[in-house]
DNA sequence: TATAATTACTACTTAAAGGTAGAATTAATC
DNA sequence: GATTAATTCTACCTTTAAGTAGTAATTATA
């Protein structure tokens, strides 16, 4: 596809958090162990999510992370944007060559179709959609 | 998406070659200049394409490259395979988590659709399809 | 107030992809 | 056979993503 590990981890983390029944504070150790993400790498990612305003961090003892926004308002594309993984450029999906509106390779139009589908999903699928199907991702 | 540069370059090179009216030998210098690909990197890629049997190289003076197979028989997926860029794994398109047939995230099925579309194109679009629309890619 | 538990920050290391250099090999042509 | 134009091979350099380490800052609780 390929998304960066940061994007994938971030989606896993946030979907996992969204899936928790009680919206208690979750700490880094807990998340890292539950999701098999290296602890230090996880905290790095969490800091990004805090900076961008998706989650809030409470520092110090008994601290942890919780959502800043409602999970139904956080779209997959918001998360991908953070790590520059969105597919929002004007070029054809594969980015093979020099295609543009005027001059395009023969596959350009065909590739537009799945591209648009993916973009649509990225924009329209919220964390709430991803989480809570009896399956931890 | 993102394909490796090697894959993208390879598709550009082969599509360009397929677009040439006369199937003359094309040399590395010519291709590199026409397609804005670093000469040395291009030759590295060409060597891969030779090894895998898509093109033949004629060494020495007046040498160059030409197709081994008919361009209508070379699929985009063949090229992606060489550089391990195909999306043929069993996981969901994003490869976010631990989805599989039994346990899958809520987006798994949605993502299957564009994934299958892309795979279909990769398999069914030949070099002949890509080339020859009055537009060099 | 001391301690333990927690996130944040800064900087480093590692691995992989992308790209480059130069010499070796091959073969047409003079 | 020598020269020259081409590909091929081996090895190296550079850049970026991924991951690690150590320490500072913060805060609840005993």
């Amino acid at each position: 596809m390929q998304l960066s590990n940061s994007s994938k981890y971030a989606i896993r983390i946030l979907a996992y958090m969204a899936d928790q029944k009680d919206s208690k504070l979750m700490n880094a150790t807990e998340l890292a162990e539950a999701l098999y993400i290296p602890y230090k790498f996880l905290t790095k990612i969490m800091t990004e999510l805090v900076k961008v305003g998706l989650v809030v961090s409470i520092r110090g003892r008994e601290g942890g992370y919780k959502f800043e926004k409602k999970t139904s308002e956080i779209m997959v594309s918001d998360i991908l944007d953070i790590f520059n993984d969105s597919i929002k450029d004007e070029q054809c999906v594969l980015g093979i060559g020099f295609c543009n509106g005027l001059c395009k390779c023969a596959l350009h139009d065909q590739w537009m179709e799945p591209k648009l589908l993916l973009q649509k999903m990225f924009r329209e699928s919220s964390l709430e959609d991803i989480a809570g199907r009896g399956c931890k991702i």
Side-chain angles (χ1 to χ4, degrees), chain A residues 62-128:
Chain A
E62 301 294 304
Y65 304 96
K66 67 178 180 183
F67 282 106
E68 168 87 345
K69 300 173 69 172
K70 274 197 266 183
T71 57
S72 59
E73 289 170 356
I74 300 174
M75 300 296 144
V76 176
S77 62
D78 296 333
I79 304 168
L80 302 188
D81 283 344
I82 300 170
F83 305 99
N84 297 314
D85 271 340
S86 53
I87 48 168
K88 61 187 165 190
D89 60 272
E90 259 55 48
Q91 299 189 308
C92 72
V93 195
L94 292 187
I96 289 172
F98 310 125
C99 310
N100 58 41
L102 288 173
C103 168
K104 53 193 178 185
C105 73
L107 286 186
H108 191 91
D109 291 329
Q110 292 178 58
W111 276 327
M112 273 301 143
E113 190 182 342
K115 178 189 174 183
L116 294 178
L117 245 172
L118 274 173
Q119 282 181 324
K120 186 170 144 70
M121 286 179 193
F122 287 169
R123 282 196 311 272
E124 296 181 3
S125 298
S126 71
L127 279 178
E128 208 171 72

Side-chain angles (χ1 to χ4, degrees), chain A residues 1-74:
Chain A
M1 181 67 263
Q2 272 305 12
L3 300 183
S4 65
N5 280 1
S6 295
S7 278
K8 291 194 235 172
Y9 286 161
I11 295 177
R12 267 163 67 183
I13 294 163
L14 294 174
Y16 182 81
M17 286 174 63
D19 192 34
Q20 299 305 104
K21 294 294 170 256
D22 45 349
S23 60
K24 60 162 183 168
L25 239 45
M26 310 210 62
N27 69 50
T29 309
E30 195 177 349
L31 291 171
E33 284 175 2
L35 298 169
Y36 305 100
I37 300 172
Y39 172 82
K40 284 288 195 179
F41 196 36
L42 181 135
T43 59
K44 196 179 195 177
I45 291 166
M46 293 313 288
T47 304
E48 292 297 313
L49 300 180
V50 169
K51 273 185 192 156
V52 94
L54 287 187
V55 305
V56 185
S57 69
I58 313 293
R59 298 174 67 162
R61 186 165 177 165
E62 301 294 304
Y65 304 96
K66 67 178 180 183
F67 282 106
E68 168 87 345
K69 300 173 69 172
K70 274 197 266 183
T71 57
S72 59
E73 289 170 356
I74 300 174

